[in-house]
Amino acid sequence: MKPINVGLLGIGTVGGGTFTVLQRNCEEITRRAGRPIRIVVVADKNLELAKQVTGGACRLTDDAFSVVTDPEVDIVIELIGGYGVARQLVMQAIENGKHVVTANKALLATHGNEIFKAAQDKGVMVGFEAAVAGGIPIIKAVREGLTANRIEWIAGIINGTTNFILSEMRDKGLSFDTVLKEAQRLGYAEADPTFDIEGVDAAHKITILASLAFGIPMQFDKAYIEGISKLDAVDIKYAEQLGYRIKLLGITRRTDEGVELRVHPTLIPARRLIANVEGAMNAVLVQADAVGATLYYGKGAGAEPTASAVIADLVDITRMHTADPENRVPHLAFQPDAMVELPMLAMDDVTTSYYLRLRVADKTGVLADITRILADEQISIDAVIQKEPADGETEADLIMLTHQTREKCIKAAIVKIEALGVVTGNVTKLRMEELGK
Ligand code: HSE
């Protein structure tokens, strides 16, 4: 059986894992794919590292552009990351008739429409299972396993770094800054962790899932993004006392008015399975009309979990590359000519419920003033707790949970509440999701 030949761009953590797993499981993978999958060339700036990892088993180069034009290469694996050189390499690989496998969620969320169009025109496949939730086969599940369904919404813990930080903050009662340093020491968080902690990485991933779920173009620029860097440990504690956990969720939902696409810290009932996903693990909950809710759990990062997804794409391409392009599984689950433009909802128009924390003077009439403002905005209160002032203090924390309302209504109410003389500082607002049907 003639092997299918692969060119690997980038032999860092995931590239190394891909090399190792392909070698270790070569016999089983060949039995599944129908022919051997062979890495024939690796491109990396660090040739010494490439030599160590590959042990001389294939050609090495420090020129990634030579790989995307290499006549021996059938599939290019792009593991360089970012949207500069990686974009040029992917586009050139496609132009040269190579199939592409990538773990690059930033690239797909921002340039996916252009990349998939080029791939379709050229009749090549682009696999991206590794781009969302690492080793969890969530792309395959949404694109193929749930194909009978009308997908209603997806909510996912799709960033392991922030889930680790939130778990540690809750477990140990530590501040965000302290846990972030610990996460960096343990190697979970990057030296520059901005994309993770500010929710950008999760927004890239939920953008991709929204596209697959609803058959809409990638629209990362429409995503509302709020990370966890401003989250106070006291809110995690109060949420817990109220029976909730705070998770950084990527959420996309189809409503009659348009599609929600958002990432933010979210209170979810502690009894939900997804609320109990701890540490660096990922989980994605999909609500669909026929099957109901399905939950996918596993490692969202790391060498071999991500390699597992990369190799799954290699096998798919190996099986399918001789099929007519129009008979293959569409990249984004829907046939390219059946993609639709749906309105994307601005965050102000999203409806959800809220957790509010206020610092108030412990005086007669304070609660009445606040509830009147909420009532004027048609916001219904679900629960209220007032903490006793600490010894010697005259102010108390007031925590309120609201029923569902529009974001713009809660924002308007908060402006009025903050203007009350009896309220000190800003109101803390967190969104809540039941994640039931
Ligand atoms: N940085 C990501 C995370 C992993 O922390 O989950 C790669 O997507």
Side-chain angles (χ1 to χ4, degrees), residues 93-94 97-100 118-126 325 328 331:
I94 292 170
K98 317 287 183 204
H99 304 286
V100 172
Q120 191 207 337
D121 290 348
K122 200 72 195 182
V124 296
M125 288 172 271
V126 177
R328 294 177 187 147
H331 288 117

Side-chain angles (χ1 to χ4, degrees), residues 268-277 285 433-437:
I268 49 182
R271 64 183 183 281
R272 300 266 180 255
L273 271 178
I274 193 170
N276 294 280
V277 170
L285 181 58
E433 292 289 337
E434 275 302 310
L435 301 185
K437 172 88 178 75

Side-chain angles (χ1 to χ4, degrees), residues 103 105 130-134 158-163 188-190 195-196 201 205 280 282 300-302 306:
K105 57 262 168 183
V132 180
I158 42 183
N159 182 269
T161 304
T162 43
N163 204 50
Y188 283 121
E190 309 283 334
F195 267 29
D196 288 323
D201 176 71
K205 294 168 180 167
N282 280 203
T306 313

Side-chain angles (χ1 to χ4, degrees), residues 44-59:
D44 202 287
K45 289 266 168 264
N46 188 342
L47 283 173
E48 203 41 54
L49 171 74
K51 205 190 277 175
Q52 269 171 33
V53 178
T54 59
C58 64
R59 287 187 282 126

Side-chain angles (χ1 to χ4, degrees), residues 9-10 78-87 89 102-107:
L9 311 182
E78 182 276 308
L79 298 174
I80 289 175
Y83 14 61
V85 175
R87 177 183 175 198
L89 287 165
T102 179
N104 192 336
K105 57 262 168 183
L107 177 66

